Amino acid sequence: MRGWTTFLYVVRRSSAVFTIAVWSGVLAVLGMACALVVDARGAAEASRQASASDRISSAYREAYVAHSREQSALLTRDAAAHARAAADVEAALAAAGAGAKGLRTDHAAYRRFADPVFTDSASADVARALAAYFGNALVRDADEATDQARELG
């Protein structure tokens, strides 16, 4: 019991040093906690950006699948299937957000050349060429969004 009393006596005698040591430890822990909070906020923001890029990439892939159906309908001259597929492409590009504005413009140009094919008032050659260009642009943008999501998250 004498040892324990001696320890308490030593702590009481150098209480200023003990107090400084305790408060230094408390400040160190608070500093680490603040650093963790800052890192957590940065990680949460990167996660949100990766999620958004993944959502955009998924929308581009949906547009590509719908555009493939659109091309098939053009080749078989099925106007109803072409209209359904075109609506699906537009919906997927709308889901992709503002970054797909150029693709929506490209799709509208394709539609201007594809629509007359169904009334036999135009050749399908220009529409097929535009469809190939549009399909390649969709794949390129989808790949870029996927790469960005991978880098972020």
Side-chain angles (χ1 to χ4, degrees), residues 33-85:
C34 289
L36 286 173
V37 167
V38 169
D39 285 345
R41 285 184 180 170
E45 180 60 30
S47 177
R48 278 191 291 276
Q49 289 176 355
S51 178
S53 292
D54 187 46
R55 180 186 52 79
I56 290 169
S57 176
S58 177
Y60 284 149
R61 299 231 183 267
E62 287 177 27
Y64 181 77
V65 169
H67 181 62
S68 296
R69 290 193 337 263
E70 196 175 34
Q71 286 180 297
S72 296
L74 178 70
L75 293 175
T76 60
R77 295 187 187 254
D78 184 349
H82 189 265
R84 284 190 306 272

Side-chain angles (χ1 to χ4, degrees), residues 1-147:
M1 192 74 148
R2 173 96 173 120
W4 181 251
T5 309
T6 305
F7 175 73
L8 291 176
Y9 180 71
V10 170
V11 171
R12 273 190 240 129
R13 282 189 64 185
S14 57
S15 63
V17 174
F18 181 72
T19 302
I20 291 172
V22 168
W23 280 110
S24 297
V26 168
L27 289 176
V29 169
L30 284 175
M32 288 187 285
C34 289
L36 286 173
V37 167
V38 169
D39 285 345
R41 285 184 180 170
E45 180 60 30
S47 177
R48 278 191 291 276
Q49 289 176 355
S51 178
S53 292
D54 187 46
R55 180 186 52 79
I56 290 169
S57 176
S58 177
Y60 284 149
R61 299 231 183 267
E62 287 177 27
Y64 181 77
V65 169
H67 181 62
S68 296
R69 290 193 337 263
E70 196 175 34
Q71 286 180 297
S72 296
L74 178 70
L75 293 175
T76 60
R77 295 187 187 254
D78 184 349
H82 189 265
R84 284 190 306 272
D88 291 345
V89 170
E90 287 299 321
L93 291 177
K101 182 180 179 186
L103 289 172
R104 284 193 295 275
T105 302
D106 291 345
H107 188 247
Y110 160 76
R111 291 293 307 269
R112 281 194 302 277
F113 286 96
D115 288 343
V117 171
F118 295 104
T119 60
D120 290 327
S121 61
S123 167
D125 293 338
V126 173
R128 279 195 297 260
L130 280 171
Y133 165 78
F134 181 66
N136 289 336
L138 276 171
V139 168
R140 181 193 65 232
D141 287 358
D143 288 344
E144 287 175 2
T146 300
D147 291 344

